[in-house]
């Protein structure tokens, strides 16, 4: 096992609009798995769209992202960024989560991000900045 760390940011669309109960169940499973694997990150959800960052060892993130990509709960998965990092930016979160409300003042400047149906046009740096806004 290496001491290297990697960060992956991706976006996707939900297969259906999730209920609070579905989120609670999904997050409990994700958090337990991430703790076991040494993975940290943040998941944002707004109007059927997901943006997520995961951090961990490359040999863990590769297979984990493959599993995430095959999950039938979402589609149109686009990996925006995969980069080596020296330290985790979401170290306190086995999987932080925020269900974004359209009126959330933290969205100022990021509304275009969620309005862009062409996921391929999303700026990776902007996506990471959005995740960082919700880190605290």
């Amino acid at each position: 096992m290496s001491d290297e760390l990697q960060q992956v940011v991706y976006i996707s669309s939900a297969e259906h609009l999730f209920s609070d109960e579905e989120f609670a169940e999904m997050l409990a499973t994700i958090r337990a798995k991430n703790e076991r694997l040494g993975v940290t990150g943040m998941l944002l959800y707004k109007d059927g769209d997901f943006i997520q960052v995961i951090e961990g060892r490359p040999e863990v993130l590769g297979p984990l992202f493959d599993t995430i990509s095959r999950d039938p709960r979402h589609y149109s998965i686009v990996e925006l960024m995969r980069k080596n990092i020296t330290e985790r930016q979401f170290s306190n979160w086995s999987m932080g989560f925020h269900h974004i409300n359209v009126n959330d003042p933290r969205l100022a400047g990021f509304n275009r991000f969620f309005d862009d149906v062409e996921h391929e046009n999303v700026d990776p740096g902007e996506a990471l900045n959005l995740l960082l806004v919700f880190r605290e």
Side-chain angles (χ1 to χ4, degrees):
M1 279 196 311
S2 72
D3 288 337
E4 293 179 19
L5 290 172
Q6 203 170 66
Q7 185 179 67
V8 176
V9 177
Y10 74 91
I11 56 176
S12 65
S13 297
E15 183 272 326
H16 67 278
L17 295 178
F18 280 63
S19 69
D20 291 342
E21 294 79 21
E22 287 173 299
F23 276 124
E25 183 179 313
M26 179 178 72
L27 289 168
T29 302
I30 289 170
R31 287 174 176 148
K33 183 175 185 176
N34 285 357
E35 284 180 27
R36 191 175 67 251
L37 294 174
V39 172
T40 55
M42 173 69 74
L43 175 66
L44 301 179
Y45 175 81
K46 181 180 180 291
D47 300 334
D49 289 316
F50 292 107
I51 177 171
Q52 184 171 21
V53 59
I54 51 177
E55 303 170 323
R57 294 185 321 274
E59 64 270 16
V60 171
L61 289 191
L64 178 59
F65 188 72
D66 289 344
T67 299
I68 289 168
S69 296
R70 291 189 305 271
D71 190 321
R73 294 175 289 195
H74 64 161
Y75 63 95
S76 296
I77 298 116
V78 177
E79 183 179 314
L80 298 175
M81 178 171 41
R82 181 181 298 255
K83 67 178 183 175
N84 293 329
I85 56 175
T86 56
E87 63 182 89
R88 297 172 190 259
Q89 292 183 296
F90 299 89
S91 60
N92 295 329
W93 301 93
S94 61
M95 185 47 58
F97 173 74
H98 195 79
H99 187 162
I100 300 174
N101 176 314
V102 69
N103 298 319
D104 193 315
R106 292 174 287 188
L107 273 184
F110 292 106
N111 284 329
R112 183 187 60 75
F113 175 85
F114 285 104
D115 293 339
D116 190 355
V117 294
E118 297 294 325
H119 285 168
E120 294 80 18
N121 296 330
V122 173
D123 179 273
E126 181 182 1
L128 182 57
N129 286 337
L130 175 62
L131 287 154
L132 289 168
V133 165
F134 287 90
R135 176 177 58 182
E136 306 302 322

